[in-house]
Amino acid sequence: MRIGIIGGTGVYELAEKSGRTSRVHTSYETVEVTESEHAGHDLVFLARHGDDHAVPPHRVPYLANIDALRRKDCECIIATNAVGSTRDGMQPGDFVLPDQFIDFTKGRPLTFFDGGRKGVRHVDVTVPYCPALRRTAFKLLEDDAQPIHPAGTYVCTEGPRFETPAEIRMFQALGGDLVGMTGVPEVVLAREAGICYMTVCVVTNFAAGVARAPLREGEVTELMEQRLPVLRSFILSIAENIETVRDCDCRG
Ligand code: HPA
């Protein structure tokens, strides 16, 4: 099987020994991917923010990234996201596998179906993240005794600034558990492309107002660096254990 991996903040390559790097021409931008083999699967890795974190959340080429993985025939995507937590129970260092999202982005291209020749479609996102991939992932980390939450609601903001405490209180009232800047529209585009998608969120900090002190950008990168070895091996073992026949409706 071919599996796409989208590395978020702090994840700029999948392993120390990298694979074959190439450029994929899409209908949008050209995307650099690195391909390698693992346990009989072909992995196609791309770094969401570029390999030196030069691309801010609102300028990530979301359409091109998903289109590139589709052109590479990926059936599944495993992504990573650094997130703030709005809840005491989800602490820095914890992993969360979101099952829902709330979209507070403002000005990003949203869809492959942009009208005209591209057509118009309204995809169903009742179950936005692939339940079969999430089940596999949860079992692995639980068996490994890592702090992991099987579900959560991810709120996507436009960024690149962090939130105000008033915004975080609003997100809490709406049921948001996690806050990040890059989960949407990626998950939606994967669904439009008929690719199973899940993300492993790493809580890097308590959100503004939940944390006792103002947020520092360094908190996010420092925590991601600490969790990177576990995160990388987690991603590889999810890839190893993905069921070839999955009990899900992601492919429409
Ligand atoms: N807010 C938004 N995005 C984030 C945060 C946060 O607190 N932490 C990591 N990414």
Side-chain angles (χ1 to χ4, degrees), residues 87 90 95-100 134 138 148-153 177-178:
R87 294 216 277 125
M90 292 181 176
F95 294 103
V96 189
L97 307 175
D99 63 328
Q100 286 292 314
R134 289 180 46 246
F138 179 62
I148 180 153
H149 305 269
T153 296
D177 303 306
L178 309 168

Coordinates of all heavy atoms in Angstrom, one line a residue, residues 87 90 95-100 134 138 148-153 177-178:
R87 N -8.1 22.0 27.8 CA -8.6 21.2 29.0 C -7.5 20.7 29.8 O -6.5 20.2 29.3 CB -9.3 20.0 28.4 CG -10.5 20.3 27.6 CD -11.6 19.2 27.8 NE -11.4 18.0 27.0 CZ -11.3 16.8 27.5 NH1 -11.3 16.6 28.8 NH2 -11.2 15.8 26.7
M90 N -6.0 17.1 29.1 CA -5.1 16.9 28.0 C -3.8 17.8 28.2 O -3.9 19.0 28.0 CB -5.7 17.2 26.6 CG -6.9 16.2 26.3 SD -7.7 16.6 24.7 CE -8.8 15.2 24.6
F95 N -0.7 12.6 23.4 CA -1.1 12.5 22.1 C -2.6 12.4 22.0 O -3.2 11.9 22.9 CB -0.6 11.1 21.5 CG 0.9 11.1 21.4 CD1 1.7 10.4 22.3 CD2 1.6 11.7 20.3 CE1 3.1 10.3 22.2 CE2 2.9 11.7 20.2 CZ 3.7 11.0 21.1
V96 N -3.2 13.1 21.0 CA -4.7 13.0 20.9 C -5.0 12.7 19.4 O -4.3 13.2 18.5 CB -5.3 14.4 21.2 CG1 -6.8 14.2 21.3 CG2 -4.8 14.9 22.5
L97 N -6.0 11.8 19.2 CA -6.4 11.4 17.9 C -7.8 12.1 17.7 O -8.8 11.5 18.0 CB -6.5 9.9 17.8 CG -5.3 9.1 18.2 CD1 -5.5 7.6 18.1 CD2 -4.1 9.5 17.3
P98 N -7.9 13.3 17.1 CA -9.2 14.0 17.0 C -10.1 13.2 16.2 O -9.8 12.5 15.2 CB -8.8 15.3 16.4 CG -7.5 15.2 15.9 CD -6.8 14.1 16.5
D99 N -11.4 13.3 16.6 CA -12.5 12.7 15.8 C -13.4 13.7 15.2 O -14.3 13.4 14.4 CB -13.3 11.7 16.6 CG -14.0 12.3 17.8 OD1 -13.5 13.3 18.3 OD2 -15.1 11.9 18.2
Q100 N -13.3 15.0 15.6 CA -14.1 16.0 15.1 C -13.3 17.3 14.9 O -12.3 17.4 15.6 CB -15.3 16.3 16.0 CG -16.4 15.3 16.0 CD -17.2 15.3 14.7 OE1 -17.6 16.3 14.2 NE2 -17.4 14.1 14.2
R134 N -7.8 5.5 13.1 CA -7.7 6.0 14.5 C -7.7 4.8 15.5 O -7.0 4.8 16.5 CB -8.9 6.9 14.8 CG -8.7 8.3 14.1 CD -9.9 9.2 14.4 NE -10.2 9.3 15.8 CZ -11.4 8.8 16.3 NH1 -12.3 8.4 15.5 NH2 -11.6 8.9 17.6
F138 N -4.8 4.1 18.1 CA -5.0 4.1 19.5 C -4.5 2.9 20.2 O -3.9 3.0 21.2 CB -6.5 4.3 19.8 CG -6.9 4.3 21.2 CD1 -6.3 5.3 22.0 CD2 -7.7 3.4 21.8 CE1 -6.6 5.4 23.4 CE2 -7.9 3.4 23.2 CZ -7.4 4.4 24.0
I148 N -2.3 8.8 25.7 CA -3.0 9.0 24.5 C -4.5 9.2 24.7 O -5.1 8.4 25.6 CB -2.7 7.9 23.5 CG1 -3.5 8.2 22.2 CG2 -3.0 6.5 24.0 CD1 -2.9 7.6 20.9
H149 N -5.2 10.1 24.0 CA -6.6 10.3 24.1 C -7.2 9.8 22.7 O -6.8 10.3 21.7 CB -6.9 11.7 24.4 CG -6.2 12.3 25.6 ND1 -6.8 12.2 26.8 CD2 -5.0 12.8 25.7 CE1 -5.9 12.7 27.7 NE2 -4.8 13.0 27.1
P150 N -8.2 8.9 22.8 CA -8.7 8.3 21.5 C -9.6 9.3 20.7 O -9.8 9.0 19.6 CB -9.6 7.2 22.0 CG -9.9 7.5 23.4 CD -8.8 8.3 24.0
A151 N -10.0 10.4 21.3 CA -10.9 11.3 20.6 C -10.7 12.7 21.1 O -10.2 12.9 22.2 CB -12.3 10.9 20.7
G152 N -11.2 13.7 20.3 CA -11.1 15.1 20.8 C -11.6 16.0 19.6 O -11.6 15.6 18.4
T153 N -12.0 17.2 20.0 CA -12.5 18.1 18.9 C -11.4 19.2 18.7 O -11.0 19.8 19.7 CB -13.8 18.8 19.3 OG1 -14.8 17.7 19.4 CG2 -14.3 19.8 18.3
D177 N -11.5 20.9 22.2 CA -10.5 20.4 23.2 C -9.1 20.9 22.8 O -8.3 21.0 23.7 CB -10.5 18.9 23.1 CG -11.9 18.3 23.5 OD1 -12.4 18.6 24.5 OD2 -12.4 17.5 22.6
L178 N -8.9 21.0 21.5 CA -7.5 21.3 21.0 C -7.6 22.5 20.1 O -8.6 22.7 19.4 CB -7.0 20.1 20.2 CG -7.1 18.8 20.8 CD1 -6.8 17.7 19.8 CD2 -6.0 18.7 21.9

